[in-house]
Amino acid sequence: MEKTTTRSTLSEAVFKNVGLSRNESSSLVDSVFDEILKSLITGKDVKISSFGTFVVRQKKERIGRNPKTGEEVPITARSVVTFRASNVLKSKVNSKNKISQVQ
Amino acid sequence: MSLIKSKLIQNITEANPHLFVRDVERIVNTIFNEITQSLAEGKRVELRGFGAFSVQHRKERNGRNPRTGETVHVEEKYIPRFKTGKELRLKLNSNVNINTSETRDE
């Protein structure tokens, strides 16, 4: 069993479940993430029910420090994306792991 | 206004006129079910250019009810995490600071 899930894992699942060609499955997986990416870049949050929300947050400029030299460097104002997992996702991640640990 | 799943499905259907809404629904649901399933099994999900989902372990601890000050036991748990991918991180800020040489920020 593969350890990491990638785009190819997802397109294989789409290929099996939806009945499109492998090529088309893979390009549709790409377009789903492109669509999400485009929305986030324009500053719009993305809500996927029963999965989670991608939120764009504006960070102000602040003074950081180079941990090696101790030198102070300004960290410019920027946008960052945070992910808030839905309760459904949280509980699935929690329960399954617990079960596999007991076994 | 945020982009919600139904609008995401609508946008993709409009870009692919040969597909039905119900096909695109299945595609989008398959993708997020697959990610959820992987995380539930404790696997990492890496999506180049977009980001990576992982599962983190939180040890059991003794917490405190902030209102009453009472000590409560918090069980160990696993939580889903997301780390923004490089391409997404750069694109988010491309219009803000083009000239600042992007230094390592993690």
Side-chain angles (χ1 to χ4, degrees):
Chain A
M1 195 174 62
E2 292 161 58
K3 241 190 146 217
T4 309
T5 299
T6 59
R7 280 176 199 254
S8 70
T9 323
L10 299 181
S11 42
E12 192 64 19
V14 169
F15 168 71
K16 283 186 186 145
N17 282 353
V18 189
L20 303 168
S21 73
R22 276 208 162 81
N23 267 339
E24 194 167 22
S25 302
S26 118
S27 85
L28 278 155
V29 169
D30 289 342
S31 39
V32 168
F33 292 106
D34 284 350
E35 199 64 37
I36 297 174
L37 199 114
K38 262 196 313 198
S39 172
L40 294 173
I41 290 168
T42 54
K44 273 167 76 180
D45 298 351
V46 179
K47 285 185 187 166
I48 309 291
S49 63
S50 78
F51 184 74
T53 311
F54 297 93
V55 187
V56 185
R57 299 187 56 198
Q58 307 300 325
K59 307 273 260 186
K60 289 196 192 127
E61 188 186 52
R62 64 188 169 91
I63 302 298
R65 209 177 270 278
N66 181 329
K68 203 173 280 176
T69 62
E71 191 188 349
E72 285 190 351
V73 268
I75 296 172
T76 52
R78 62 189 67 211
S79 316
V80 294
V81 169
T82 57
F83 175 69
R84 296 203 50 205
S86 74
N87 289 327
V88 179
L89 178 59
K90 278 186 193 162
S91 71
K92 282 193 177 161
V93 164
N94 216 12
S95 59
K96 285 275 176 61
N97 271 300
K98 280 240 173 83
I99 293 161
S100 66
Q101 274 221 329
V102 174
Q103 279 166 349
Chain B
M1 254 307 279
S2 47
L3 176 69
I4 57 172
K5 189 161 84 175
S6 56
K7 177 72 174 137
L8 171 69
I9 290 167
Q10 193 191 323
N11 290 352
I12 292 171
T13 313
E14 279 165 14
N16 296 274
H18 62 292
L19 296 176
F20 294 111
V21 176
R22 61 157 199 273
D23 296 327
V24 181
E25 257 167 18
R26 286 190 76 166
I27 293 165
V28 172
N29 289 334
T30 299
I31 291 172
F32 290 106
N33 287 342
E34 195 69 22
I35 296 176
T36 305
Q37 185 57 35
S38 296
L39 293 174
E41 290 166 15
K43 289 199 267 183
R44 245 177 95 77
V45 179
E46 274 183 22
L47 304 163
R48 258 311 132 78
F50 184 76
F53 296 92
S54 58
V55 177
Q56 271 183 12
H57 179 233
R58 289 273 180 274
K59 280 188 217 153
E60 62 169 347
R61 63 187 170 90
N62 287 317
R64 218 174 257 280
N65 180 328
R67 189 174 296 168
T68 62
E70 193 186 348
T71 306
V72 271
H73 182 70
V74 182
E75 297 255 348
E76 65 157 354
K77 59 183 171 186
Y78 292 88
I79 54 159
R81 294 298 311 253
F82 176 72
K83 188 168 182 279
T84 313
K86 191 176 181 188
E87 190 193 334
L88 174 56
R89 180 157 41 86
L90 294 178
K91 280 187 174 166
L92 279 167
N93 296 293
S94 55
N95 37 9
V96 187
N97 43 4
I98 309 157
N99 293 324
T100 42
S101 54
E102 191 66 33
T103 42
R104 194 174 70 92
D105 59 354
E106 50 198 348

